[in-house]
Amino acid sequence: MKNMINRAKFTVTVALAACFVFLGSCEEYLDKSPDAGMSEKELFKNFKNFQGFIEGMYTHLISPWNGNSIGVVGDEAYMQWYNPPICYFHDGNYWAWNYDIGRNMFGIARSKNPDYLLNPNAAAEYRGIWYGSWYCIYLANKGLANLDKMYGTEDEKKVIRGQLLFFRAYCHFNIMQYWGGMPYIDQFYEASKPVVYLPRLKFQECADKIEQDLTEAFELLPLDWDEEEYGSYTQGNNSRRLTKFSALSVLGKCQLYAGSPLMNYESTGEKSFDAEYCKKAAATLKKVIDLAKSTGKKSLQPWSDIDRMFFTYDRTNTDVREACLVPIPANTPTIGFTGVMYCMFSPQGNRNIYGCQFYLNLNYEFSKNFGMANGLPITESDSGYDEADPWSNRDPRFDKWVCKDGDLITNTKTDNPLDQYAQFYTGGRHRGSANSLVYTGIGTKKFWDTKCNPKDTPGIATSGNLYLLNPPLIRLADVYLMYAEAVSWGYGSPMSTVPGDSAPLTAVDAVNIVRDRAGAPDGAVTGGMPPLDARYHNDQSKFFELLIQERAMELLFESQRFCDLRRWLRNSDSRYKAITGINFDRDPETGKPVNMEEFLVKNRVVDDRHNWLPLPADQVALYEGFYQNPGW
């Protein structure tokens, strides 16, 4: 615990050193450079200086894609290259998060070396979730302890306090979703004072403290920084800052997690949804939905333009109209980012440029979550699914985000015209082997399009680093789906609503809104998928199984699946262990797959202990109240 509360005896100078690039430069908020040895009196004296102190905390909104695929350590994907965390986790080695393995454990962890926390030139992802979050909690509490020193308007003091409360709550939650209930550190501990040993709390106890912090943060944070006087310092560059949507969406997610079977079991011993926490979550998430509608500040991204919510290949910022919480992009996106997304060029040139050893295969078994264009899962007898023609008439999200044999994968500027269309059939040009191409016979194209390659966009995977991958941490579609889960389990039915709601929304309605966007006409968010069939309207168990598939489709590769499977107590369920591929030939006349044969790539090694990640052994040995997670 000593390592968490005052791990490196951080001083004011150290805290300032973390305040580096955010939305161009935080120096606009500072009277002097953060590494110039500013005294505490100077640091906290006014809004500009205090906000400069806070800017560094934004780097702790870490994207799970700031590295190699920490966001897909569940059952979504397969990768042969044996360094990314997906490989270790699939082998059951959850200790791997605490290793310092090159640059491949970004997201959950990185090096234990505190120099990475202190170096303003180090990439933000070096901090990781575990060490970085405890550090950010320290900074938040330090800021709160010094808030009375600030001279400024009431609005300036409110937004400073709101941000500090948010970061304290968010960082606790970010740790809790992987490691379980923790001590909730809500005081500033001087580095020179004796260490205070705080016991671990249960998840739900921590969630209650997070609720207090985020409820106040919601009241203090603005809807839009550009509409506030203090936002004028960075007018037009405020779209990624914390707002009321940030506080509410994280709170609703935390409440839903607290009500989920794993967290309820950790807290009470009951392996079921906790209705009261689900009711809380439903009310909070509905508030997000209503606020988005009433203010127009958030809305679903049009289907025809949805790519810009996830990535750009001209190094411009991603679109945030749907984003409730946005991570900070990596400073230097490299081939690791693009390599895990596409790899169709192994026969040409240096594979390190084209990234073939990184390619992220889609798990064929997981791809069965994608339903049919008529809105039914492929498992329904009347869905129209044809095992002999498995890729026809599928959900629009399958067509857009799943890369299949014959799909266009580049424009025409390749060295070899054979590389313009995917050849994933057995023996095909892009079909994998030991070089880790499309080994499973099916890929993904959610985070790239036909221009995202170094032939059509020179510099994208070289020193130009044009490609920017920055999916939201929480987006409005996720809020709708979390609301559907919360309100149905809180009140017992897919047709339930929040009692007394002036604009009632059933769980079914919420799912339909997300589905309606999929495949919508140009510029629209409606007119896509048909609504849920009536057979799912009154059967909670059947509805929930479909909701699991909806989350799998809509949130593919967005770092939700691993936490979802664990919180539902399904990570070790036999239905989610298999990683499979598909062998097939291509019919020369129709171009469709024939002679299809599914094969097992591997079974994920996972049991009940993998519900939580292990805590660092050196830290659980510090005192009795800070115990290791079960099975580790």
Side-chain angles (χ1 to χ4, degrees), residues 335-348:
I335 57 169
F337 294 80
T338 49
V340 296
M341 295 307 154
Y342 64 83
C343 179
M344 312 306 166
F345 305 99
S346 179
Q348 307 170 22

Side-chain angles (χ1 to χ4, degrees), residues 20 90 95 101 104 171 280 294 315 394 397-398 420 466 470 505 523 533 537 541 550 553:
F20 59 100
H90 281 180
W95 280 110
I101 308 172
N104 303 315
C171 287
K280 281 186 175 185
S294 64
R315 197 54 179 161
R394 298 291 289 271
R397 290 168 289 192
F398 183 87
Q420 191 171 4
L466 298 177
N470 202 43
L505 184 75
D533 189 272
H537 288 194
S541 178
E550 284 292 327
M553 287 187 284

Side-chain angles (χ1 to χ4, degrees), residues 537-563:
H537 288 194
N538 297 297
D539 186 325
Q540 174 62 12
S541 178
K542 196 173 182 69
F543 171 78
F544 184 56
E545 295 302 320
L546 183 137
L547 182 58
I548 289 174
Q549 293 182 324
E550 284 292 327
R551 288 187 65 81
M553 287 187 284
E554 179 66 28
L555 302 173
L556 173 70
F557 287 3
E558 294 183 49
S559 192
Q560 303 298 328
R561 180 72 167 182
F562 180 58
C563 289

Side-chain angles (χ1 to χ4, degrees), residues 58-66 106-108 124-129 132-133 170 174 327-328 473:
Y58 278 85
T59 64
H60 295 277
L61 298 174
I62 298 171
S63 169
W65 284 106
N66 276 6
F106 295 172
I108 287 183
E125 59 265 27
Y126 274 97
R127 290 165 173 77
I129 290 174
S133 293
Y170 173 77
N174 216 13
I328 300 304
L473 292 170

Side-chain angles (χ1 to χ4, degrees), residues 356-369:
C356 68
Q357 78 271 41
F358 299 112
Y359 187 75
L360 193 63
N361 290 250
L362 190 64
N363 176 8
Y364 187 73
E365 181 66 25
F366 179 88
S367 75
K368 298 174 186 176
N369 283 293

Side-chain angles (χ1 to χ4, degrees), residues 16-137:
L16 280 168
C19 302
F20 59 100
V21 179
F22 175 64
L23 293 178
S25 174
C26 69
E27 290 184 1
E28 295 179 15
Y29 269 124
L30 299 175
D31 286 344
K32 60 173 66 178
S33 175
D35 60 354
M38 189 182 295
S39 68
E40 281 197 28
K41 182 178 179 180
E42 288 291 306
L43 176 62
F44 300 117
K45 75 174 184 179
N46 58 31
F47 177 75
K48 281 189 176 182
N49 286 18
F50 215 133
Q51 185 61 32
F53 170 79
I54 291 175
E55 294 295 271
M57 298 184 198
Y58 278 85
T59 64
H60 295 277
L61 298 174
I62 298 171
S63 169
W65 284 106
N66 276 6
N68 291 314
S69 66
I70 195 64
V72 288
V73 292
D75 66 334
E76 291 165 286
Y78 173 70
M79 187 184 291
Q80 285 183 293
W81 183 49
Y82 201 80
N83 272 338
I86 181 175
C87 304
Y88 292 98
F89 277 45
H90 281 180
D91 285 344
N93 183 7
Y94 283 17
W95 280 110
W97 80 265
N98 199 34
Y99 299 168
D100 181 8
I101 308 172
R103 292 174 58 85
N104 303 315
M105 292 306 293
F106 295 172
I108 287 183
R110 180 52 178 111
S111 174
K112 303 176 187 179
N113 188 341
D115 289 342
Y116 288 121
L117 300 179
L118 315 186
N119 181 1
N121 297 315
E125 59 265 27
Y126 274 97
R127 290 165 173 77
I129 290 174
W130 178 263
Y131 296 108
S133 293
W134 289 119
Y135 174 41
C136 190
I137 290 167

Side-chain angles (χ1 to χ4, degrees), residues 183-194:
Y184 199 84
I185 303 177
D186 56 5
Q187 298 180 50
F188 175 59
Y189 295 93
E190 293 281 358
S192 60
K193 299 296 178 61

